Amino acid sequence: MALPFHPAGDDPVPAALRGFARAHADLVELHEKPAHLVARHRNPGRRVGLVSGGGSGHEPLHAGFLGRGMLDAVAPGKVFASPHNKQVLEASRRAAGPGGVIHVVKNYTGDRINFGIAAERLRLEGIEVRRVLVDDDLATESDETATGRRGTGATVVVEKLLGAAADTGLGLDELADLGGRFAAASRSLAVASRAQTSPHTGEPSFPLEDGELEFGVGIHGERAQKTVTRPPLEDLVEDMLDRVLAGLPDGPDDLIVTVNGLGGTTLLELYAINDLVGAGLERRGLTAAGGLVGTFVPALDMAGFSLTLTRLEPSWLHWWSAPAVTPAFPRTPEETA
Amino acid sequence: MLDQETVLRRFAQAVEEAHDELTRLDQRSGDGDFGDNLRGGVRAALTRFETGGGTAFGALGEVFLDEVGGTSGPLLGLLFTEIAHADDFAAGAAAGLAAIQRVGEARVGDRTLVDALAPAVDALGSGFVAAAKAAADGAAHTAELRARMGRASYVGERVKGDPDPGAVGIALLFWAVATTAEPDAEVPSPV
């Protein structure tokens, strides 16, 4: 195996952030101490700033979704580690609108506490804050733990819908309520055929034999609770579709389908998976009202994919199709005009 | 009025003396850096207070929120900041407890610093010495508890027998407050 192309030193994140800012200088601005990025443009109608963040290693999340129609600022932590509360604080100060700021937080203890401390500090400064918690991963649904479901692929869907809603000038409480409903309407499940590469050894971070599949992986290199014999892709997708549909709360049958690569999976594979998902939905009499196919929330270069379904309320459809001018969201104003 | 500068100096001295014990306690259940984090934060706050002015609790709050790593460091920073912003110590400590519980979601009995802070805040109505005793008792009681929150929750029953280091840190703070406010009173040391 070969080592990744990281610059010398033990933290590849600062150089990657500078490179990202160089590549998208028209859209984002990087502040290095403490590290956070801010969108250069926002809809003038937006009264509440949207801030997200979390560990690095999930690119293009979160900085890739900075810009008009989505996020106003992000706080990137080290690889697979929560950002420091000071990063979240600075990002939020810059992003806050007259109506305050929303934190979009994936459900992990470190993120909850660091965003929470930043929120306390913002309140002391007179900036109103609400949190939208994303907790979509069915693999971590259990009555035996107090930690709840992890936040994974639904983050992008929540940020897209919430960004469009914020652009209409909605206030803090309305947006926090909507964001919670977007997250509650989403469930995900992920599988992997190979672990992410260890930056230190160049080897997969955990072993998996040919013909095996890790069923229910997270996005931080966590192993799943079970390793299964790898079924044919058609059977695997059918099984995942059954499980995600069963995990979704009741609601409308219009679905947003997100087929997300975990970093080491090609578009050739992801589009084929999307075809199987679409056909499976049609067989069940269901429709995809929208979709995303690509690598949006990976775990470094893990070979695998996640399937996220979001039940779309009829009144949310125009938020899904609204323009988003960011480095990574695949919809431009021209396409939707 | 509570003499904040004296509280900071007594707290700093107590933390220096307890450093090795705090490290030992954290090595049993966490990653062993709590003694270093607490001592480093208090030292930096003393320097900031002596060179930058402001209040002692203001300096503690800024340093622990901005510079101290881990989870418990910034949580302590919330407490110090609320005390710095409040009209009196009791109101600030109560606000700090509320903030810590909003953020960290720990309750009494979870084996965290809340097990020392919550009874101390309750006892402040009876005076600083009563609060210091309540904090020390609360910290000592954590030795009988299994952790439900934080990294210590992963090691289950094996943490029992020794108190939670974060709770001991809180008891040291209340010891410093009580011995400052009532120099003639008998205040048992929590370590």
Side-chain angles (χ1 to χ4, degrees):
Chain A
M1 298 296 285
L3 287 167
F5 293 108
H6 291 318
D10 60 1
D11 185 1
V13 174
L17 294 179
R18 290 194 297 272
F20 178 84
R22 286 180 194 275
H24 306 289
D26 54 331
L27 294 177
V28 305
E29 181 180 72
L30 171 65
H31 301 267
E32 295 193 62
K33 287 192 188 316
H36 60 290
L37 296 107
V38 183
R40 290 193 189 275
H41 312 289
R42 76 157 92 183
N43 189 310
R46 187 176 284 205
R47 290 166 50 217
V48 173
L50 298 188
V51 174
S52 189
S56 295
H58 313 301
E59 290 68 30
L61 198 72
H62 304 81
F65 305 107
L66 278 170
R68 215 166 143 131
M70 289 186 79
L71 299 173
D72 297 304
V74 300
K78 294 183 176 180
V79 173
F80 295 166
S82 155
H84 192 278
N85 83 80
K86 186 84 187 297
Q87 293 176 261
V88 180
L89 177 67
E90 292 289 352
S92 303
R93 282 173 175 159
R94 290 185 195 274
V101 64
I102 297 257
H103 287 166
V104 180
V105 182
K106 293 189 299 312
N107 187 27
Y108 300 99
T109 303
D111 288 318
R112 290 176 71 136
I113 287 180
N114 282 292
F115 274 87
I117 289 171
E120 294 291 330
R121 302 183 73 176
L122 289 161
R123 284 190 197 102
L124 287 172
E125 295 177 7
I127 298 174
E128 287 287 306
V129 189
R130 297 281 187 283
R131 169 180 296 180
V132 170
L133 192 71
V134 183
D135 60 346
D136 51 315
D137 182 17
L138 282 171
T140 45
E141 188 161 273
S142 165
D143 295 334
E144 291 172 15
T145 62
T147 46
R149 291 184 304 265
R150 292 179 293 220
T152 59
T155 311
V156 181
V157 177
V158 170
E159 290 173 355
K160 173 65 186 76
L161 292 169
L162 198 58
D167 281 350
T168 67
L170 292 179
L172 198 58
D173 290 331
E174 294 162 296
L175 288 171
D177 176 60
L178 271 171
R181 290 166 60 198
F182 300 151
S186 305
R187 291 291 186 277
S188 299
L189 193 58
V191 297
S193 59
R194 177 179 49 75
Q196 73 287 353
T197 302
S198 161
H200 307 294
T201 66
E203 298 289 332
S205 292
F206 57 81
L208 208 52
E209 300 296 323
D210 289 347
E212 285 184 344
L213 196 72
E214 201 71 0
F215 196 93
V217 288
I219 57 171
H220 301 103
E222 307 101 312
R223 299 202 64 165
Q225 288 192 358
K226 60 179 177 181
T227 304
V228 300
T229 302
R230 186 169 169 176
L233 181 64
E234 293 78 358
D235 298 349
L236 174 65
V237 170
E238 193 70 7
D239 180 30
M240 290 173 72
L241 198 51
D242 273 338
R243 289 171 191 266
V244 177
L245 282 168
L248 276 175
D250 289 339
D253 282 342
D254 288 337
L255 299 166
I256 296 175
V257 176
T258 304
V259 175
N260 169 60
L262 295 182
T265 309
T266 61
L267 275 174
L268 189 74
E269 295 162 278
L270 296 177
Y271 278 125
I273 291 162
N274 190 53
D275 182 52
L276 295 171
V277 173
L281 288 176
E282 283 167 12
R283 275 198 304 280
R284 291 166 175 81
L286 300 170
T287 43
L292 284 177
V293 180
T295 298
F296 302 103
V297 192
L300 289 176
D301 65 340
M302 181 178 269
F305 68 94
S306 61
L307 171 63
T308 301
L309 296 180
T310 304
R311 285 198 193 277
L312 205 63
E313 302 277 346
S315 62
W316 300 352
L317 186 59
H318 67 290
W319 286 331
W320 180 251
S321 57
V325 187
T326 77
F329 197 81
R331 185 168 288 125
T332 66
E334 287 74 26
E335 283 173 326
T336 55
Chain B
M1 284 290 284
L2 188 64
D3 177 0
Q4 287 198 17
E5 178 179 350
T6 304
V7 172
L8 173 57
R9 293 188 187 285
R10 296 192 74 103
F11 183 43
Q13 190 187 347
V15 167
E16 293 285 347
E17 287 167 9
H19 171 267
D20 291 353
E21 175 67 1
L22 292 170
T23 301
R24 184 187 75 79
L25 294 177
D26 195 36
Q27 281 168 342
R28 291 213 49 199
S29 56
D31 46 14
D33 63 354
F34 182 74
D36 289 348
N37 284 342
L38 188 62
R39 184 174 70 178
V42 173
R43 283 179 178 175
L46 200 51
T47 302
R48 183 177 297 210
F49 173 72
E50 288 171 344
T51 58
T55 66
F57 277 107
L60 280 166
E62 288 169 17
V63 166
F64 274 81
L65 283 173
D66 286 351
E67 298 173 21
V68 177
T71 302
S72 56
L75 287 173
L76 285 172
L78 282 180
L79 171 65
F80 298 139
T81 302
E82 293 286 358
I83 294 170
H85 281 250
D87 291 336
D88 64 62
F89 182 86
L97 171 64
I100 285 171
Q101 292 195 281
R102 276 197 300 275
V103 170
E105 299 170 44
R107 301 182 301 254
V108 169
D110 288 343
R111 190 186 161 95
T112 71
L113 59 84
V114 169
D115 286 299
L117 183 56
V121 165
D122 282 345
L124 273 169
S126 308
F128 291 122
V129 174
K133 285 178 177 163
D137 289 347
H141 177 61
T142 59
E144 299 162 33
L145 298 174
R146 175 193 175 116
R148 202 183 68 89
M149 310 285 289
R151 200 167 304 176
S153 65
Y154 301 141
V155 295
E157 297 283 330
R158 298 175 63 189
V159 295
K160 285 190 179 179
D162 274 320
D164 174 67
V168 174
I170 290 289
L172 291 171
L173 173 69
F174 277 83
W175 174 86
V177 169
T179 55
T180 300
E182 301 187 39
D184 298 330
E186 284 245 346
V187 187
S189 168
V191 176

